[in-house]
Amino acid sequence: MTDSAPSLDAPPDADQVADLREQAAEEDRSIEVRFPDAGDEPKRFVVSPRGTCVVLTNLREDSFNPSVTAKDIASALRQ
């Protein structure tokens, strides 16, 4: 994970979450993207090779185990 993480215009949708999980597993490394929250503050969305998804601001805000569906994660990110 570096400061050059890709930026999204909005929280990832279910397809993007599923793609990030697949990419992290295939590359056997964590994948990070950034997106703005409702107040335009940047959030970091990190996906581990095992499929765990974590949303970070300055501190950990939320995490999703691999058993949580991509659709449920995308829905939570848009709230």
Side-chain angles (χ1 to χ4, degrees):
M1 292 178 289
T2 66
D3 288 338
S4 62
S7 294
L8 303 174
D9 293 332
D13 61 24
D15 289 337
Q16 290 170 313
V17 171
D19 288 346
L20 290 167
R21 279 181 162 167
E22 184 177 318
Q23 179 184 357
E26 286 176 358
E27 296 179 12
D28 194 30
R29 67 179 185 92
S30 293
I31 303 295
E32 177 181 332
V33 296
R34 295 171 189 250
F35 63 89
D37 69 6
D40 284 338
E41 291 296 318
K43 288 192 176 188
R44 295 168 41 214
F45 184 68
V46 182
V47 182
S48 79
R50 294 185 295 173
T52 301
C53 300
V54 180
V55 179
L56 302 165
T57 51
N58 288 334
L59 300 171
R60 185 178 120 192
E61 183 174 311
D62 211 344
S63 64
F64 307 93
N65 291 323
S67 61
V68 179
T69 67
K71 181 178 178 181
D72 289 343
I73 293 170
S75 176
L77 293 175
R78 296 185 185 298
Q79 293 181 3

